[in-house]
């Protein structure tokens, strides 16, 4: 029988789930190149959150770091999964980068390509470590410090990855500006 | 100079990551260097571009169903084991990586009662199912594309002697709603029989007798199939389009094997087990063809709609109601149809469907805020074909004064935006940003915009800013991210505070709430929120509501809020709808030209025997409320048109079924006016937007006996929309109403249709007709 304490815990996990699961799945899907596998990883992370919430006091993330905690667990699990599948021999993420991205159907793909902004196109061409940090920063709104905690890069390193990544993107965009504009005008 | 373009601090600075001493030191080093400042601006611009584009990236996440399934699993773990420990023998034992051989979310479990969704219990019996065949086997195949409902011989024999009395009956059972409370309770623990060890399951699937769990493809819901001694129990969490379990299609992930042979041939509503917190759980769950009457489509809640019936003019000579310029129901219904699903009946508010369209009513000439246009012709609802129809259709058309963009008074707008986690879907926050961006571009220097967001905490994302700073406003919009729970109440208070601080006398002062309607933290209790909104409306700050998204749409909450706040409620399902509401009809959305607009129709008993008002079911007022200026009613915006239709049965026509003549009373005496040819008199009351006392106008109508074919295109089109609404809402007055007639009538009344809305309507009629078949 679930008692009141359990009810509260369940409510807490439910909230954490509805608040963050979507961005976690999106993030992990990028790492694994597989959205279904990403869902698994994210659910495993929440299962861990649930269990940890019964064992440790205070609860993980009770200090306001729930979101980075979940990202960290998801990332570690995702890397485990990649290692298990032999798709990654080291902690190097670039390996995973070459894995196919989440597999949408052909029509979805066409749609995606059409709606994909120029910055996103360029982003896909960056090294995986920069891409990951850029996504964590601009898609998930995490701070340098939180990104550092999640990825294991030092805060300074996070700053450098972001700086270099943005610089490359800017160069890429200004380079094909003319081309893109011309293409846009003739659909 | 120690800073060059490769210094990562440039990016950190642009992103606001440098703080305190570090920041001060960096600024000293920068020393106002123009090239570096430009570099920083360029980095910030790139950052904002990335944020915008990344925000639009799609992602399904687990979905509401995935979340529910997961939480259901946790509830079982919580009830079966001690906190923090895995359940023995259950799926959750997960010591290490290869782990979780059968994660419970793959198997699917009974949802917990804590899940405040409406549950519908359905028992399936098959005619050919033999006792003992109950056992069924789960097979979970993640990622399998959509599959049909598969029926196959059982892979494992069940145990004998477990047939329940009501098991394996040949038909689905339908238990009256009144017995709902006695239906098997669902609690945080599985029902006792659900854990019965006598139901064999092949290892390593858990001892849970859950056979399969899947999403419904031809509807909007989730199905859990559980083995029971008396058969297979199907639990539908959501809504089926066809309602016929024989054609139940399950989406990816699982396929269940139904024991026995042949098709599942029965279904039945067992009443409501759970209850949505916002929902009247006394609603009738289905209307017999599988559509949910009291519609809850996975977390969506709709207030029950009671249709207006025919009223006898001798006993009810007055019909009184509040105007309604909301249009949300139309776009919401369209969303369902575009997904090839019939909408829940209670999602259909016929007046909102009718008022979605532009009608070519002439605007007022004098000082009055409206013109009133009356018309009467044969009723297309009448079943009598070929002869002279007995019933007549009266159309009351109100047209508000038009205000051109240049004459629009200054606006003080506060966007109150829901950025909670539930808003993350592509059709929510990204569409919201796009929509409000369109609105901002319509505004000028005399207008102001502030942005307040609410989620776990509420906050001011943009202080009130002159609307000529389009870039600043769009930038602030673009930076919004979804995350956190919803605290609409605190956000609303803050939004009102900002609106009050920048109050523009004589201008538009309005909070525009954009949300999926999920106010779930600490609000709405005891009507506090409603009172706040009513108070503010009295002080001149009105509230409009823009609904977004699907799945968590709390239709009723949103309509009520806009209603109390003297505002309007629109549902934005596409960028095109945003264009209609926020660009083409911006003046109407922003500028209120009259408030508390009430209509009262007095019927002449010498001419009319009975009447019914089409739609406006939840807008009815008592006759005495008409003259009561304290009684709140609907608002009309600039250029808005409001249309109401009455079906009337003339005295000379066929008699409607009614009560017998009174034995002790004679009909009251008639005034000399009754001898006129007037069918009815429309009385209209309204207040100026800042006024407290109402003005009365009256408009009599005579019937010239026009046939429908000579009626205006507007009357014919409005009638077609009403027929469409009645068909979708399962009206009791559909005897002469068919999809074919609806289509024909609409097709012949397209008029100018500059925006193509009427043509789109004809398409929707075709979709609905196909789905109903």
């Amino acid at each position: 029988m679930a008692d009141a304490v359990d009810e509260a815990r369940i409510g807490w996990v439910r909230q954490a789930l509805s608040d963050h699961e979507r961005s976690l799945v999106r993030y992990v899907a990028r790492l694994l190149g597989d959205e279904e596998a990403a869902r698994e990883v994210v659910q495993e992370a929440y299962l861990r959150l649930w269990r940890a919430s019964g064992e440790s006091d205070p609860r993980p993330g009770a200090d306001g770091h729930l979101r980075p905690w979940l990202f960290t667990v998801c990332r570690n699990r995702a890397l485990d999964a990649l290692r298990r599948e032999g798709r990654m021999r080291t902690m190097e993420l670039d390996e995973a980068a070459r894995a196919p991205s989440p597999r949408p159907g052909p029509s979805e793909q066409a749609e995606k390509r059409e709606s994909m902004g120029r910055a996103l196109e360029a982003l896909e061409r960056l090294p995986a470590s920069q891409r990951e940090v850029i996504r964590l920063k601009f898609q998930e709104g995490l701070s340098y410090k939180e990104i550092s905690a999640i990825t294991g890069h030092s805060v300074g390193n996070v700053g450098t990855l972001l700086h270099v990544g943005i610089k490359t993107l800017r160069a890429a965009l200004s380079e094909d500006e003319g081309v893109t504009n011309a293409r846009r005008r003739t659909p | 100079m120690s800073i060059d373009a490769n210094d990562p601090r440039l990016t950190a600075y642009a992103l606001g990551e440098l703080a305190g001493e570090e920041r001060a030191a960096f600024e000293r080093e920068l020393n106002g260097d123009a090239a570096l400042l430009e570099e920083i601006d360029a980095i910030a611009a790139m950052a904002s571009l990335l944020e915008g584009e990344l925000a639009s990236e799609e992602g399904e996440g687990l979905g509401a169903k995935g979340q529910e399934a997961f939480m259901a699993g946790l509830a079982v773990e919580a009830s079966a084991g001690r906190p923090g420990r895995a359940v023995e023998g259950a799926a959750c034992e997960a010591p290490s990586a290869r782990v979780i051989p059968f994660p419970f979310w793959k198997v699917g479990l009974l949802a917990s009662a804590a899940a405040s969704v409406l549950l519908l219990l359905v028992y399936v019996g098959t005619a050919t199912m033999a006792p003992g065949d109950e056992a069924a086997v789960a097979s979970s195949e993640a990622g399998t594309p959509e599959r049909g409902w598969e029926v196959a011989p059982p892979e494992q024999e069940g145990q004998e002697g477990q047939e329940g009395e009501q098991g394996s009956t040949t038909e689905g059972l339908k238990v009256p709603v009144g017995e709902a409370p006695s239906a098997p309770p669902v609690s945080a623990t599985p029902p006792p029989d659900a854990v019965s060890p006598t139901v064999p399951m092949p290892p390593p699937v858990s001892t849970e007798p859950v056979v399969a769990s899947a999403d419904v493809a031809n509807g909007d819901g989730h199905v859990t199939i559980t083995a029971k001694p008396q058969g297979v129990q199907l639990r539908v969490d959501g809504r089926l389009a066809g309602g016929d379990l024989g054609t139940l299609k399950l989406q990816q992930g699982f396929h269940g094997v139904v024991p026995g042979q042949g098709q599942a041939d029965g279904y039945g509503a067992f009443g409501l087990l759970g209850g949505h917190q916002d929902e009247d759980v006394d609603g009738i769950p289905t209307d017999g063809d599988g559509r949910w009457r009291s519609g809850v489509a996975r977390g969506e809640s709709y207030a029950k709609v009671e249709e207006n019936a025919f009223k006898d003019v001798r006993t009810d000579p007055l019909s009184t109601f509040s105007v309604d310029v909301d249009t949300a129901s139309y776009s919401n219904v369209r969303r369902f149809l575009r997904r090839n699903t019939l909408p829940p009946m209670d999602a259909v508010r016929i007046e909102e469907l009718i008022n979605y369209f532009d009608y070519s009513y002439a605007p007022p000439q004098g000082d009055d805020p409206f013109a009133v246009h009356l018309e009467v012709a044969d009723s297309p609802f009448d079943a009598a074909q070929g002869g002279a129809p007995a019933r007549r259709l009266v159309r009351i058309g109100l047209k508000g004064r038009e205000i051109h963009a240049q004459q629009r008074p200054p606006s003080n707008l506060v966007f109150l935006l829901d950025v909670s986690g539930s808003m993350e879907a592509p059709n929510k926050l990204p569409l919201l940003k796009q929509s409000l961006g369109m609105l901002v571009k319509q505004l000028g220097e005399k207008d102001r915009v502030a942005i307040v967001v609410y989620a776990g905490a509420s906050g001011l994302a943009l202080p009130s800013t002159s609307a000529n700073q389009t870039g600043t406003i769009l930038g602030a919009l673009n930076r919004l991210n979804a995350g956190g729970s919803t605290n609409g109440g605190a956000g609303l208070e803050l939004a009102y505070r900002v609106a009050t601080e920048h109050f523009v006398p004589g201008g538009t002062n309005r909070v525009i709430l954009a949300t999926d309607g999920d106010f779930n933290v600490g609000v709405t209790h005891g009507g506090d929120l409603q009172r706040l909104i009513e108070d503010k409306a009295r002080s001149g700050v009105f509230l409009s509501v823009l609904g977004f998204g699907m799945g968590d749409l709390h239709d009723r909450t949103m309509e009520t809020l806009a209603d109390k706040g003297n505002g309007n409620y629109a549902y934005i399902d596409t960028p095109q709808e945003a264009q209609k509401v926020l660009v083409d009809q911006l003046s109407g959305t922003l500028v209120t030209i009259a408030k508390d607009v009430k209509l009262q129709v007095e019927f002449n008993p010498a001419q009319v025997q009975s009447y019914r008002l089409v739609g406006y079911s939840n807008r009815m007022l008592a006759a005495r409320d008409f003259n009561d200026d304290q009684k709140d009613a609907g608002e009309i915006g600039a250029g808005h048109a409001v249309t109401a239709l009455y079906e009337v049965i003339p005295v000379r026509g066929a008699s409607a079924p009614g009560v017998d003549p009174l034995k002790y009373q004679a009909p009251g005496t008639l005034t000399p006016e009754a001898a006129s040819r007037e069918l009815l008199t429309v009385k209209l009351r309204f207040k100026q937007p800042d006024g407290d006392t109402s003005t009365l106008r009256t408009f009599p109508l005579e019937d010239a006996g026009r046939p429908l074919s000579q009626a205006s295109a507007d009357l014919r089109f409005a009638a077609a929309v009403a027929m469409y609404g009645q068909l979708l809402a399962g009206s009791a007055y559909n005897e002469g109403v068919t999809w074919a007639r609806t289509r024909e009538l609409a097709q012949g009344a397209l008029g100018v249709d500059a925006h193509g809305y009427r043509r789109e309507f004809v398409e929707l009629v075709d979709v609905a007709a196909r789905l109903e078949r």
Side-chain angles (χ1 to χ4, degrees):
Chain A
M1 260 310 174
D3 55 21
V5 178
D6 277 350
E7 286 296 325
R9 265 175 78 215
I10 287 174
W12 180 72
V13 173
R14 176 186 296 279
Q15 191 62 56
L17 189 64
S18 83
D19 286 351
H20 306 297
E21 64 90 356
R22 194 185 291 267
S23 43
L24 290 168
V25 171
R26 184 169 61 188
Y27 167 68
V28 177
R30 288 283 160 186
L31 295 183
L32 295 181
D34 180 345
E35 201 154 336
E36 200 50 49
R39 290 195 187 99
E40 293 273 306
V41 164
V42 170
Q43 299 192 65
E44 285 171 27
Y46 275 102
L47 188 61
R48 235 191 102 182
L49 178 71
W50 160 254
R51 294 195 175 136
S53 72
E55 280 161 0
S56 72
D57 192 28
R59 289 168 181 163
D63 46 354
H65 298 307
L66 176 60
R67 198 169 158 81
W69 187 93
L70 284 166
F71 273 92
T72 310
V73 173
C74 281
R75 187 179 194 272
N76 291 341
R77 297 234 157 213
L79 297 189
D80 281 349
L82 286 176
R83 223 176 279 123
R84 257 199 327 268
E85 289 172 34
R87 278 160 59 190
M88 202 165 77
R89 283 164 294 277
T90 65
M91 283 291 280
E92 183 51 65
L93 264 171
D94 283 56
E95 194 74 19
R98 280 172 215 117
S101 51
R103 38 187 166 101
S107 68
E108 267 176 82
Q109 239 161 4
E111 235 169 65
K112 223 172 210 168
R113 210 170 295 129
E114 224 153 77
S115 67
M116 206 185 211
R118 295 184 300 137
L120 290 193
E121 270 176 46
L123 180 63
E124 292 307 310
R125 298 195 293 266
L126 290 185
S129 55
Q130 291 176 23
R131 240 171 29 209
E132 185 191 18
V133 169
I134 284 179
R135 282 186 184 277
L136 288 173
K137 178 73 212 165
F138 299 113
Q139 194 158 38
E140 313 303 346
L142 295 161
S143 71
Y144 279 28
K145 224 170 140 183
E146 289 169 329
I147 296 172
S148 158
I150 293 165
T151 59
H153 301 301
S154 68
V155 173
N157 211 346
V158 169
T160 306
L161 286 168
L162 274 172
H163 184 72
V164 174
I166 289 181
K167 218 171 162 187
T168 315
L169 289 179
R170 280 169 53 205
L173 289 198
S174 62
E175 217 166 73
D176 61 24
E177 186 115 315
V179 186
T180 312
N181 284 346
R183 199 172 52 215
R184 292 243 156 134
R185 268 182 213 113
T186 42
Chain B
M1 189 177 63
S2 61
I3 305 176
D4 72 8
N6 289 324
D7 193 325
R9 285 182 301 166
L10 287 167
T11 297
Y13 182 77
L15 301 180
E17 279 279 344
L18 292 187
E21 185 46 42
E22 216 181 344
R23 183 184 180 90
F26 183 73
E27 280 174 351
R28 274 196 302 278
E29 270 185 78
L30 269 180
N31 198 20
D33 184 293
L36 289 175
L37 289 175
E38 203 172 292
E39 187 71 12
I40 289 167
D41 279 350
I43 291 170
M46 188 68 225
S48 129
L49 178 68
L50 276 170
E51 275 177 6
E53 291 191 7
L54 285 169
S56 66
E57 259 191 352
E58 293 160 42
E60 287 288 303
L62 301 177
K65 287 165 234 161
Q67 288 188 17
E68 280 312 315
F70 180 83
M71 290 312 300
L74 276 196
V76 170
E77 177 168 324
S79 63
R82 285 310 308 149
R85 254 171 257 149
V87 185
E88 206 189 336
C92 327
E93 185 100 69
S96 65
R98 261 269 126 173
V99 256
I100 314 187
F102 277 85
F104 54 64
W105 48 83
K106 274 196 169 180
V107 183
L109 289 166
L110 294 167
S112 75
S116 55
V117 287
L118 194 60
L119 300 174
L120 182 63
L121 234 197
V122 182
Y123 273 88
V124 182
T126 56
T128 53
M129 191 198 284
D133 276 349
E134 300 87 5
V137 180
S139 156
S140 67
E141 286 181 8
T144 311
E146 179 179 316
R147 325 173 129 263
W149 173 246
E150 294 188 1
V151 176
E155 289 177 25
Q156 189 164 345
E157 288 294 308
Q159 289 199 354
E160 298 290 320
Q162 280 295 322
E163 35 183 314
E165 285 94 50
Q166 18 154 295
S168 308
T169 48
T170 53
E171 288 172 358
L173 304 169
K174 188 148 193 167
V175 173
V177 179
E179 296 182 19
S182 66
V186 169
S187 67
T189 49
D193 53 350
V195 288
S196 164
T198 58
V199 180
M201 293 297 295
V205 177
S206 80
T207 53
E208 282 301 321
V210 170
V211 177
S213 154
D215 294 343
V216 181
N218 57 334
D220 184 6
H222 188 86
V223 178
T224 314
I225 301 141
T226 318
K228 297 264 180 168
Q230 62 267 52
V232 174
Q233 181 190 355
L234 261 167
R235 220 165 83 143
V236 181
D237 211 316
R239 179 173 172 282
L240 305 181
D244 178 0
L245 290 175
T247 60
L248 178 70
K249 289 189 193 125
L250 301 179
Q251 263 164 359
Q252 64 170 31
F254 305 94
H255 69 272
V257 183
V258 170
Q261 280 143 36
Q263 294 243 304
D265 65 351
Y267 65 93
F270 266 71
L272 307 174
L273 296 184
H276 195 279
Q277 52 190 3
D278 290 341
E279 183 54 36
D280 292 328
V281 288
D282 57 352
I284 302 165
T286 85
D287 66 347
D289 66 2
R291 285 184 65 197
W292 286 28
R293 172 75 235 183
S294 182
V296 170
R298 204 184 60 232
E300 301 189 11
S301 64
Y302 297 96
K304 200 167 171 213
V305 175
E306 290 285 359
E307 188 175 27
N308 287 319
F310 268 108
K311 295 244 168 90
D312 192 316
V313 176
R314 287 167 303 179
T315 51
D316 290 294
L318 295 172
S319 171
T320 312
F321 63 100
S322 156
V323 298
D324 180 5
V325 293
D326 295 345
T327 58
S329 179
Y330 185 82
S331 31
N332 190 32
V333 165
R334 175 175 62 197
R335 158 172 70 102
F336 278 99
L337 293 177
R338 290 285 182 223
R339 287 190 293 159
N340 285 322
T341 311
L342 288 167
M345 292 178 171
D346 289 330
V348 181
R349 288 188 293 272
I350 296 175
E351 70 279 10
E352 294 190 18
L353 309 186
I354 296 174
N355 288 329
Y356 181 85
F357 296 93
D358 267 342
Y359 297 97
S360 54
Y361 307 149
Q365 298 290 332
D367 289 341
D368 269 3
F370 340 87
V372 173
H373 301 276
L374 305 177
E375 188 178 357
V376 54
D378 289 341
S379 170
F381 297 89
D382 201 323
Q385 297 287 305
R391 277 142 63 173
R392 309 284 292 160
L393 188 69
V394 174
R395 186 214 62 193
I396 301 172
L398 257 65
K399 175 69 176 179
R401 190 172 59 228
E402 283 170 342
I403 291 180
H404 295 289
Q406 302 87 326
Q407 304 158 336
R408 198 163 43 72
S411 303
N412 158 34
L413 304 182
V414 180
F415 296 160
L416 173 56
L417 309 180
D418 180 351
V419 293
S420 60
S422 67
M423 288 293 288
E424 215 167 353
N427 62 346
K428 294 185 182 175
L429 199 53
L431 179 59
L432 180 158
K433 290 180 182 179
Q434 192 186 354
S435 304
L436 292 180
M438 287 155 81
L439 167 61
V440 168
K441 288 179 195 143
Q442 303 302 308
L443 301 176
E445 56 184 348
K446 58 187 179 176
D447 304 314
R448 300 189 71 79
V449 170
I451 302 176
V452 173
V453 297
Y454 68 90
S458 52
L460 192 60
L462 176 76
S464 190
T465 303
S466 171
N468 58 1
Q469 296 178 40
T470 315
T472 311
I473 300 172
L474 294 181
L477 269 176
N478 244 340
R479 278 192 294 278
L480 301 174
N481 280 321
S485 62
T486 315
N487 188 347
L492 196 65
E493 280 171 36
L494 179 58
Y496 275 128
R497 200 156 67 233
V498 175
T500 310
E501 278 164 14
H502 297 89
F503 194 86
V504 182
T508 297
N509 296 283
R510 195 178 287 268
V511 171
I512 298 179
L513 166 63
T515 174
D516 56 10
D518 202 2
F519 285 92
N520 59 10
V521 180
V523 226
T524 59
H525 290 305
D528 288 351
L529 187 63
Q530 245 180 54
R531 263 195 297 282
L532 173 72
I533 291 171
E534 280 172 333
D535 279 357
K536 292 296 173 181
R538 271 195 286 276
S539 78
V541 181
F542 291 0
L543 175 76
S544 287
V545 180
L546 301 177
F548 285 87
M550 55 180 81
D552 314 302
L553 181 68
H554 291 214
D555 189 60
R556 179 169 60 176
T557 318
M558 294 158 82
E559 197 200 359
T560 309
L561 293 183
D563 190 22
K564 299 296 172 199
N566 285 4
N568 31 32
Y569 166 34
Y571 176 76
I572 311 283
D573 55 345
T574 58
Q576 291 73 33
E577 188 63 19
Q579 170 81 23
K580 177 176 186 282
V581 176
L582 299 176
V583 179
D584 300 341
Q585 300 174 357
L586 180 65
S587 292
T589 306
L590 291 186
V591 186
T592 301
I593 54 166
K595 66 178 183 184
D596 294 341
V597 183
K598 302 167 191 172
L599 280 167
Q600 185 166 65
V601 181
E602 180 182 352
F603 292 89
N604 180 356
Q607 295 284 334
V608 181
Q609 182 189 91
S610 52
Y611 64 88
R612 77 177 173 98
L613 174 58
V614 181
Y616 293 93
S617 309
N618 63 357
R619 299 279 168 168
M620 299 313 292
L621 298 171
R624 63 178 179 282
D625 293 341
F626 184 66
N627 290 337
D628 182 352
D629 282 350
Q630 299 302 309
K631 207 78 193 173
D632 184 55
E635 280 59 48
I636 291 190
H640 273 153
V642 178
T643 299
L645 299 176
Y646 276 97
E647 234 201 325
V648 302
I649 302 179
V651 279
R652 60 186 149 71
S655 67
V659 291
D660 295 325
L662 296 174
K663 188 173 167 188
Y664 304 111
Q665 277 182 44
T669 49
L670 300 179
T671 62
E673 277 81 3
S676 73
R677 292 186 47 80
E678 287 174 15
L679 206 59
L680 52 86
T681 294
V682 174
K683 299 190 283 178
L684 175 69
R685 274 198 183 275
F686 59 88
K687 292 177 195 159
Q688 296 298 334
D690 50 359
D692 290 325
T693 50
S694 64
T695 309
L696 173 70
R697 295 279 181 274
T698 58
F699 308 87
L701 171 67
E702 284 187 22
D703 189 351
R706 263 198 219 166
L708 186 62
S709 58
Q710 286 176 26
S712 68
D714 282 343
L715 182 143
R716 283 177 284 133
F717 190 79
V721 179
M723 288 161 78
Y724 160 86
Q726 287 199 174
L727 286 167
L728 289 174
S731 161
Y733 304 100
N734 281 347
E735 58 270 48
V737 184
T738 62
W739 289 111
R741 289 194 74 191
T742 304
R743 188 187 201 285
E744 188 191 336
L745 197 58
Q747 187 68 45
L750 293 179
V752 182
D753 195 25
H755 294 98
Y757 301 141
R758 293 191 180 191
R759 274 178 204 88
E760 184 195 32
F761 171 77
V762 175
E763 281 170 34
L764 292 178
V765 170
D766 290 340
V767 174
R770 186 164 40 80
L771 292 172
E772 283 253 306
R773 217 173 285 135

